[in-house]
Amino acid sequence: MKHSADDENEVHDVARFQDAARNVVTPVLRLPADTALAVVNAFAEIVRNAKRSRVATTPDRDGVVRSQTFEEGDVYMVEAPFDGFFADRYLMDFYDVEQRGICSRMHLHTGLRLVRMMTGPDTQIRVSSLSPFEVTDVPGVTPFLPRTFQDTLPDTPEDVTRTRHNLVVPPCSFVDMQIPRGVSHQFNAVGPHAVIDSVHPEESIETFRERMSGYRMTAQTVFLAEDLPPADTCVNLPT
C-alpha cells in the first residue's frame, strides 16, 4: 500500500485512486447536551493528560510512543498491541477547524479501522469520502439518519475533478464508522467538542507487512493531497 513505509507524508495520485470498498456508518445514539459534553470532555482529558505525561511521550520497550499528533487532532494510544494481540486503540481529541483555519486532508489507511465519533453541544463532524457511504438503518433501533450531501473535492490538481461524498455527525451523538483497508475518508470537526475512539485491528500486522519501523498514526496513512486545504472547504454544512 505504501511506497515507503516510514514516510509520514506519502501522497498518492488522487486522479487515479479508486476506493477498494465503501465506508459503513452506523448511528448509535443521541444524548442530552450535558451528558454528551461530560462524556466528550472525559475522553478529551485523557488525550490532554497524555500530552503532558513523560511516560506517554517517551518510547516504551516496544518503541511505542502513546501520545501522538495527527492532522485531525491529538491522539493517545490507550491500548497498545502486544505479542498475540495485534490490535490497538486510539483516542483522538479533534481540532476545531474553524479555530485552526485549515481542514484535514482526504486519506486512507493500510489497515482497516473502526471509529466511534462522539460529539458534544454546538459541534458537528463532517465525514467525507470519494465513495458514497452505506448507512445502517434498522427500523425501531437506529436513532436517526445523518444528513448526506455531495460537493467537489477542493484540493486536487488543476485538471482533476473528484466528487466528494459527505455525511454530518450531529451534535450530542455517537456514530460508528467501519473503514475497510484502502478506502478514502476525511474527518473535520466543526465546533469545540469532538472525539474519536478508534480501534485498529491490523496494526501490528501492518507493521510487518509494510515493514514499518514503529507504531505511528502517520505510518499507516496515505494522503490524497499535498497540502491541508483552508477551513472554508469543510466548515460549510447544509442546514
Side-chain angles (χ1 to χ4, degrees):
M1 293 283 300
K2 294 197 75 170
H3 301 308
S4 175
D6 290 318
D7 188 343
E8 297 192 22
N9 192 40
E10 182 165 302
V11 178
H12 284 197
D13 182 4
V14 70
R16 293 188 293 175
F17 175 77
Q18 296 294 324
D19 283 320
R22 291 186 177 186
N23 299 306
V24 177
V25 173
T26 302
V28 177
L29 58 82
R30 301 291 294 269
L31 292 170
D34 56 346
T35 303
L37 183 61
V39 171
V40 170
N41 281 346
F43 278 115
E45 189 62 22
I46 295 171
V47 181
R48 294 165 190 168
N49 287 341
K51 288 188 69 175
R52 298 187 291 266
S53 165
R54 183 189 61 80
V55 174
T57 54
T58 303
D60 64 14
R61 63 184 181 182
D62 295 317
V64 175
V65 179
R66 288 180 177 262
S67 179
Q68 303 177 29
T69 300
F70 196 59
E71 61 184 45
E72 297 160 335
D74 295 321
V75 295
Y76 172 61
M77 185 188 287
V78 66
E79 295 160 26
F82 55 86
D83 187 24
F85 194 93
F86 46 79
D88 67 16
R89 189 175 206 135
Y90 280 96
L91 300 177
M92 176 182 287
D93 180 15
F94 269 111
Y95 300 127
D96 181 349
V97 296
E98 290 185 299
Q99 184 179 63
R100 198 166 62 141
I102 53 175
C103 304
S104 67
R105 291 174 285 175
M106 190 73 73
H107 62 279
L108 57 138
H109 295 299
T110 62
L112 63 89
R113 264 85 169 123
L114 170 66
V115 302
R116 171 160 290 175
M117 299 169 278
M118 297 174 277
T119 56
D122 305 314
T123 304
Q124 301 176 84
I125 300 174
R126 175 172 173 165
V127 192
S128 306
S129 178
L130 295 177
S131 296
F133 296 95
E134 294 186 11
V135 180
T136 301
D137 181 14
V138 179
V141 180
T142 302
F144 64 93
L145 293 179
R147 289 179 289 128
T148 58
F149 65 99
Q150 296 179 11
D151 63 359
T152 300
L153 186 68
D155 44 352
T156 59
E158 193 170 305
D159 60 341
V160 175
T161 301
R162 297 296 304 263
T163 298
R164 179 169 61 173
H165 300 267
N166 304 279
L167 180 144
V168 180
V169 178
C172 303
S173 64
F174 287 12
V175 174
D176 286 358
M177 188 162 83
Q178 294 163 277
I179 307 173
R181 179 160 60 98
V183 177
S184 62
H185 55 285
Q186 179 182 27
F187 300 112
N188 285 291
V190 183
H193 307 298
V195 295
I196 272 183
D197 183 357
S198 176
V199 178
H200 306 172
E202 297 181 302
E203 197 81 340
S204 62
I205 292 177
E206 290 174 71
T207 303
F208 293 116
R209 181 181 63 218
E210 305 293 329
R211 290 180 167 78
M212 299 167 184
S213 62
Y215 298 98
R216 297 188 306 280
M217 289 285 290
T218 49
Q220 285 78 37
T221 303
V222 176
F223 295 101
L224 294 171
E226 293 281 354
D227 302 308
L228 279 72
D232 61 6
T233 65
C234 66
V235 297
N236 298 320
L237 301 176
T239 57

